[in-house]
Amino acid sequence: GAGVSQSPSNKVTEKGKDVELRCDPISGHTALYWYRQRLGQGLEFLIYFQGNSAPDKSGLPSDRFSAERTGESVSTLTIQRTQQEDSAVYLCASSLAGGGAGNEQFFGPGTRLTVL
Amino acid sequence: GQSLEQPSEVTAVEGAIVQINCTYQTSGFYGLSWYQQHDGGAPTFLSYNGLDGLEETGRFSSFLSRSDSYGYLLLQELQMKDSASYFCAVLNQAGTALIFGKGTTLSVSS
């Protein structure tokens, strides 16, 4: 079956523009996560969706970042008024159930965002 | 909060054994996970330890000591394809998403 897909794979934008990143999780996975990975760094948690529960937004770095998820399907991460510091790879992951470190997370290939 | 420490780089030769250590500080603990990421690729799940002891999966094993807040990933019979970054991870305080270490870059040479 298909894995987690993300689009676009690469996005180059100018400082101050808004960008929207898309994630299609594995079908049937109720939990969805967004992470950010700066060059040579670890993964930084951004936001978590679990079914119809309120999302955990505790990792969002500023109010310029927001995300939505429609039911248990597609999610979009929006970054408004992009800054050069937002340049990173944005990774989406999904898992069968939320919580529990033992719940394997399946990652998409990421979107490489470059803010000029 | 949660924090994890792991070495930044490890080098080894084909056929060797390498151990990547991870120490953590957490408020609440739900287990330690390990992920592998090849350069330019997506992270992939390797193993999870919820209880003390050793978990073995083929050439890879992972160990956890909760009393020492310490774990390690052991890679045996190293192959060139094992060259990658390896991340240890624990759940955040809310028990929702993973907090990752900064990663250990493993370079395997012939």
Side-chain angles (χ1 to χ4, degrees), chain B residues 7-30:
Chain B
S8 58
E9 293 184 20
V10 175
T11 59
V13 296
E14 278 188 299
I17 299 173
V18 72
Q19 178 174 314
I20 299 173
N21 298 320
C22 174
T23 57
Y24 57 86
Q25 288 187 316
T26 62
S27 303
F29 180 70
Y30 308 93

Side-chain angles (χ1 to χ4, degrees), chain A residues 13-79:
Chain A
T13 190
E14 294 180 346
K15 178 181 173 181
K17 301 283 189 183
D18 297 352
V19 296
E20 191 173 277
L21 313 180
R22 177 187 170 105
C23 172
D24 283 89
I26 293 173
S27 178
H29 281 192
T30 62
L32 186 146
Y33 315 78
W34 282 98
Y35 294 90
R36 176 171 70 179
Q37 186 173 32
R38 292 198 168 102
L39 187 64
Q41 299 296 310
L43 284 76
E44 176 187 358
F45 165 67
L46 296 177
I47 189 168
Y48 159 76
F49 295 92
Q50 169 57 44
N52 294 318
S53 302
D56 176 359
K57 304 180 182 180
S58 60
L60 294 178
S62 77
D63 58 9
R64 296 187 295 105
F65 288 72
S66 62
E68 293 184 350
R69 186 182 187 195
T70 306
E72 293 183 355
S73 61
V74 171
S75 175
T76 55
L77 175 69
T78 302
I79 308 173

